[in-house]
Amino acid sequence: MNPDDPLLKILACPLDKGPLHLLTLGDDEAPNSVAEPSAGEALYNPRLRRRYPIVDGIPQLLPSSGEQVTEDEHEELLKRMVP
């Protein structure tokens, strides 16, 4: 998924119905980050601190698909969000 994909404008968090932000997870990721999605991309809700994986180009937006991130991860993800 690319940052200017029109789909990003209509996707919403399944829990609070707010906007989601695209994260691109590069090779500079810490190898011991257990909670990182394997797909390399994710959608992030900074309000609830939940990350939803994108698997094979398809956002996984079921409430059970999202994962809670820690405070440290949240700070890192805020830096990595695509504007």
Side-chain angles (χ1 to χ4, degrees), residues 23-42:
L23 299 173
T24 55
L25 306 172
D27 294 334
D28 59 337
E29 291 294 306
N32 59 357
S33 296
V34 177
E36 295 296 331
S38 59
E41 290 185 321

Side-chain angles (χ1 to χ4, degrees), residues 16-60:
D16 74 354
K17 310 302 185 231
L20 295 167
H21 300 274
L22 180 64
L23 299 173
T24 55
L25 306 172
D27 294 334
D28 59 337
E29 291 294 306
N32 59 357
S33 296
V34 177
E36 295 296 331
S38 59
E41 290 185 321
L43 294 171
Y44 185 58
N45 179 341
R47 298 167 308 283
L48 299 180
R49 298 180 182 187
R50 291 190 63 83
R51 178 176 46 211
Y52 297 92
I54 298 174
V55 179
D56 295 328
I58 301 168
Q60 306 298 304

Side-chain angles (χ1 to χ4, degrees), residues 21-26 28-30 32-33 36 44 46 49 51 69-82:
H21 300 274
L22 180 64
L23 299 173
T24 55
L25 306 172
D28 59 337
E29 291 294 306
N32 59 357
S33 296
E36 295 296 331
Y44 185 58
R49 298 180 182 187
R51 178 176 46 211
V69 301
T70 64
E71 179 67 30
D72 292 336
E73 284 179 299
H74 173 69
E75 294 300 322
E76 278 299 310
L77 293 174
L78 287 178
K79 294 176 191 172
R80 216 173 270 142
M81 286 191 323
V82 175

